[in-house]
Amino acid sequence: QSVLTQPPSVSAAPGQKVTISCSGSSSNIGNNYVSWYQQLPGTAPKLLIYDNNKRPSGIPDRFSGSKSGTSATLGITGLQTGDEADYYCGTWDSSLSAGFLFGGGTKLTVL
Amino acid sequence: QVQLQESGPGLVKPSQTLSLTCTVSGGSISSGGYYWSWIRQHPGKGLEWIGYIYYSGSTYYNPSLKSRVTISVDTSKNQFSLKLSSVTAADTAVYYCARDTVTTKTFDYWGQGTLVTVSS
């Protein structure tokens, strides 16, 4: 069970909007930057969002990130069938068992 | 464009040591500003960070794996390596190497991953 909590799955129709939440604590999300990764089937994860809300070059503005307190959210608008993937949040944890943490992942289904 | 490529045996016997190497191209490990990390993914499961190394050789490991993990760097070959000792079937996973920005702890470049199976 991950320290960062994500919903196991979300779904929406093409063209719609979906949000994926990531809940943590003051030792991780509350005091560190959050990043988001997309993992298409059979491929390596790919960086989508860094520093809570920044997009790397080449990532469309349909993808957005936000953070409030000890939670973060990934938003995807204008859903496409190609967005079907697993999505992971990640952040550093500054507790006694410090290290980088990933959320358990969320499977996005575009109906 | 930075590229990372994992290499190493795909099959390791229980109790032995898993050894993988990540070769970096399109950028120098010695340039600084980045940690070089190993991450694994058990079959059908989520991502688990194993640890990282800086070009200077300083390391930091996941506390849950620390007793069995060694990460080293060879700047002359632009490579870094992972050794995981006393493996069991629970260490069967896809192993990824990745570049991690020092300032914001973001994995911006990943290798394609390599499946390592622990079995006799």
Side-chain angles (χ1 to χ4, degrees):
Chain A
Q1 189 169 350
S2 302
V3 173
L4 303 182
T5 302
Q6 296 182 234
S9 63
V10 296
S11 61
Q16 297 300 304
K17 173 182 178 179
V18 71
T19 60
I20 298 172
S21 61
C22 177
S23 178
S25 68
S26 59
S27 67
N28 42 69
I29 292 178
N31 283 284
N32 293 286
Y33 287 115
V34 176
S35 49
W36 289 90
Y37 304 87
Q38 176 194 60
Q39 187 175 32
L40 296 169
T43 69
K46 172 185 175 182
L47 177 64
L48 275 185
I49 298 289
Y50 68 99
D51 291 5
N52 303 330
N53 55 18
K54 297 182 174 66
R55 283 176 289 105
S57 174
I59 301 300
D61 59 6
R62 300 189 299 108
F63 296 90
S64 64
S66 64
K67 188 182 99 168
S68 178
T70 59
S71 293
T73 301
L74 173 70
I76 311 173
T77 59
L79 277 172
Q80 302 173 1
T81 55
D83 296 332
E84 277 208 351
D86 293 322
Y87 292 84
Y88 295 91
C89 60
T91 189
W92 187 259
D93 189 286
S94 308
S95 68
L96 290 177
S97 298
F100 194 91
L101 300 175
F102 289 100
T106 299
K107 170 66 178 176
L108 168 63
T109 300
V110 181
L111 302 168
Chain B
Q1 178 83 351
V2 175
Q3 293 184 315
L4 297 90
Q5 177 68 57
E6 305 88 351
S7 60
L11 180 63
V12 181
K13 289 181 166 52
S15 80
Q16 293 190 342
T17 296
L18 177 160
S19 296
L20 295 173
T21 295
C22 182
T23 301
V24 179
S25 58
S28 173
I29 283 181
S30 302
S31 62
Y34 301 102
Y35 295 126
W36 301 91
S37 281
W38 287 97
I39 294 158
R40 70 180 182 179
Q41 186 170 34
H42 295 103
K45 302 296 184 182
L47 301 166
E48 179 181 31
W49 174 76
I50 297 171
Y52 66 61
I53 190 164
Y54 196 55
Y55 77 95
S56 62
S58 61
T59 55
Y60 195 88
Y61 302 138
N62 185 324
S64 68
L65 296 169
K66 183 178 180 179
S67 63
R68 299 194 293 130
V69 173
T70 301
I71 299 177
S72 58
V73 65
D74 186 338
T75 55
S76 67
K77 295 181 179 179
N78 222 32
Q79 295 176 333
F80 63 106
S81 299
L82 168 70
K83 290 189 185 299
L84 181 65
S85 64
S86 305
V87 298
T88 70
D91 294 307
T92 293
V94 174
Y95 287 77
Y96 296 99
C97 57
R99 190 179 81 167
D100 173 11
T101 57
V102 170
T103 50
T104 62
K105 302 290 189 297
T106 298
F107 301 103
D108 57 354
Y109 288 97
W110 296 65
Q112 65 184 29
T114 187
L115 173 63
V116 179
T117 301
V118 179
S119 175
S120 55

